[in-house]
Amino acid sequence: MVDDMKVVVNQRLTGVIMKTDIHWVLTVPAICSDLAKQFMRQAAVKAGITTESLTIVLEPEAASLYCQHLPVNTTVTDGSLTKSQFPPGSKYMVLDAGGGTIDITVHEVQSQNTLREVRAANGGDWGGTMVDKAFENFLIDLVGETVFDTFKHSETEDWLHLSRAFELKKQAAGAQSEGNVTMHFPVSLNDLFETENESKLCIKDAIVASKYGKTVELKRDKLKISHSTIGKLFEESLEQIVQHLQKLMKDERMADIKTLLMVGGYSESLLLQRAIKSAFPGIHEVIPQEASSAVLRGALIFGHNPIAVTERVLKYTYGIAIYQPFEDGKHPESKRMKTDKGDCCRDVFGNLIKKGLSVTPGETQVRKQYTTGNKKQTGLCFDIFISEEKTPTYVDDKSCTKIGTIEIGFEELDDIPGRIVNLTMLLGGTEIIVELEDEKTGNKVINTAEFWG
Ligand SMILES: Nc1ncnc2c1ncn2[C@@H]1O[C@H](COP(=O)(O)OP(=O)(O)OP(=O)(O)O)[C@@H](O)[C@H]1O
Ligand SMILES: [Mg+2]
């Protein structure tokens, strides 16, 4: 993509664009883990983008920014949206409904150029492709799994045509309720069905006899599907989204939310818009006309005029593996370790910072001291973990995932245990930085972007 972009830019512009003239803004979903963000940065560096010329932006933040810059008359719900609808102090929910994921974040406007994250991103995989999957299941209901699988694999071109045709019907769904939705039924699928059934049964009769007997009809190569059958394909995805939103709205922090920003391609769906409107009558939906490109447009604005996000809510508890003095009965024998300070229990989850806390990006949030357990110890190594739990017990609990390691070595060794190492951690931006300092010498180790993963 980087190469393609350069080709396009050089074709369209006279004069040479230097590498240093370009600043890249890469967007990632807010539910992306820190690890995934690091991965994106590494991928970008591999593609020839220098770290200094790259900003990683969370998608709902980009979308928010775009919506704050919307001119009057560009929203679908009503034409009255102006910037004043986001005065400082106002809270709103951003729903980014894409193909794969539904990403929900709550923001509060602090001033014209700053935002505060009120609730950490969350959501699930109930996006537009869930409807595509429902369409596949519908076809399986009509022709059977074996025929459908063969069709998909051996008649891939026809299958692609059919999926593209469905994409258009999906986008139009909800616009009409009279008549039927008509789609071309591929001859190859018909042939495969007849071969499978040794020509004893034709697909037309099979449909009449199926549960779709009254709602679906095949006439020559035209498949006529009732609007309600098309609507049913959306049902599960809509239910999941609405239920999830309902659960979120129950939270008292959400009580004063009056506005829902709907962005992402799936937000353009009339069925999704209607489902949300009827489930939340008191909420004002703002749907920009270019919902599907709101993130992209917002990223562009961000590149020219970055907003500061003043607070973020931690999605995980961060911790490291530590040793604790061994207590019989409390600690498992399997974790017993001998050290010069006596028996210890290893793999204990040492909390650095807890999930749910609001943190200010760019400020150091964690300062801790650790000491060595052995004399002549040559260094200290920390495995860093995240957990979905607020207070996990051991780092090998199910809820914990190791996200990296940081290590500091000592040049002159001590004759007694207890050498002090200071650990500081800075998080809440789109990345995390951990630093270790050997108190005796002042030597420091800071993690680099490449260090995670
Ligand atoms: N008018 C429309 N009606 C219904 N669905 C639509 C419409 N326009 C686009 N979509 C669906 O939106 C999805 C794509 O949205 P978008 O481009 O926001 O996804 P994405 O950002 O690539 O995915 P993700 O956010 O999950 O990574 C597709 O499933 C597409 O079918
Ligand atoms: Mg998206």
Side-chain angles (χ1 to χ4, degrees), residues 266-295:
Y266 194 27
S267 282
E268 291 183 6
S269 164
L270 288 175
L271 293 177
L272 177 63
Q273 295 176 6
R274 257 179 235 155
I276 289 183
K277 271 181 203 151
S278 73
F280 307 100
I283 301 259
H284 172 70
E285 286 85 15
V286 175
I287 309 151
Q289 256 163 13
E290 305 87 356
S292 61
S293 57
V295 168

Side-chain angles (χ1 to χ4, degrees), residues 59 96-101 128-129 132 167 170-171 264-266 268-269 292:
E59 289 177 354
D96 181 0
T101 50
T129 44
D132 305 342
E167 178 64 35
K170 175 181 159 190
Q171 295 188 3
Y266 194 27
E268 291 183 6
S269 164
S292 61

Side-chain angles (χ1 to χ4, degrees), residues 157-197:
E157 204 173 312
D158 285 353
W159 164 236
L160 285 179
H161 263 288
L162 189 59
S163 349
R164 277 192 211 120
F166 176 70
E167 178 64 35
L168 296 178
K169 302 296 174 190
K170 175 181 159 190
Q171 295 188 3
Q176 279 185 341
S177 54
E178 302 278 303
N180 289 309
V181 174
T182 308
M183 291 179 75
H184 173 78
F185 191 81
V187 180
S188 58
L189 186 54
N190 198 357
D191 291 349
L192 282 170
F193 181 84
E194 294 198 352
T195 313
E196 173 76 13
N197 292 287

